[in-house]
Amino acid sequence: MDNETSTGHVTRKAVLRAALAAGIAAPTVLMGVPALARTLTAGEAAPPLTPECDDGDDPTVPQTEGPYFKPNSPLRNSLLESGTTGVRLTVSGYVFGLACRPIAGALLDFWQADTNGAYDNTGFRFRGHQFTDAQGAFKLTTIVPGLYPGRTRHLHVKVQAPGRPVLTSQLYFPGEPRNNTDTIFDARLLMSVRNAGAAKEAAFDFVLNVPQSPGPSPTATATTQPPGGSWAAGTAYRAGDRVTYGGPAYVCLQAHTGQAGWEPPNVPALWRAA
């Protein structure tokens, strides 16, 4: 049931991934689709969803940082190193704002225990940060963290949109016996997890408390041109490029290819008023 909720609604994540695979402007196809922070595994009852960002609901819930966070982690999307043991785990997803629009350049800082339940407090094993791409997507390669007294399995994460406050939270695994006894556990932060041979694949979408303009009209196309502006969908922009849109000028902050729905006024993570 990775593509549907228990009520039969197709999840926002499924629509977005299908759109990106087909080369369609993602914000256009997402109009009117509920935004769910997680999908369900087979036979699992639906907890309260976090969040339905298209209706002004709350963003992804925060959780305690815990005692093991360290700043200045290395920039990397794989936490695997030479000699790493444990069940391989890939976590992927998207970072959205309150209008269900993807946030490019969002910072994600992950840290976790090793397969024995121990944190590296002297170095940076199983610690690293990365940034979402132009579609707001991220991907982490790591291992399934081990257990230690008092806690269920979890990943720690800090997420921050450019120029916005930091969300500190944790991600959890469905079907873990200790989910029932861990006093910090929150079902709204469950990832969807599936087996991939000897490894596991997980997915989770973050929704940050970032105000955004409403999405574009469902009739917008990749060939839509703004009247009187130099910005154009389908153009590859580099950081520092300047365009005009409807009169005002903008400077590109992140390299990306323009899409309908990502016009400069709508995506402050990509464009800044000049």
Side-chain angles (χ1 to χ4, degrees), residues 87-145:
V87 177
R88 296 294 191 267
L89 171 69
T90 300
V91 183
S92 60
Y94 296 87
V95 177
F96 294 93
L98 295 177
C100 294
R101 300 176 63 80
I103 299 177
L107 169 68
L108 298 103
D109 196 343
F110 292 96
W111 71 102
Q112 67 172 86
D114 64 17
T115 191
N116 297 314
Y119 289 85
D120 179 7
N121 296 318
T122 58
F124 289 94
R125 292 183 66 246
F126 298 110
R127 301 175 184 270
H129 72 272
Q130 60 179 278
F131 296 89
T132 55
D133 64 16
Q135 286 73 44
F138 71 91
K139 184 176 182 179
L140 173 72
T141 303
T142 182
I143 64 167
V144 175

Side-chain angles (χ1 to χ4, degrees), residues 229-232 235-245 247-254 256 264 270-274:
S230 63
W231 180 90
T235 302
Y237 292 106
R238 299 171 298 178
D241 285 351
R242 291 176 174 266
V243 299
T244 56
Y245 182 84
Y250 297 87
V251 177
C252 180
L253 301 178
Q254 297 277 345
H256 69 285
L270 298 179
W271 294 99
R272 172 177 55 82

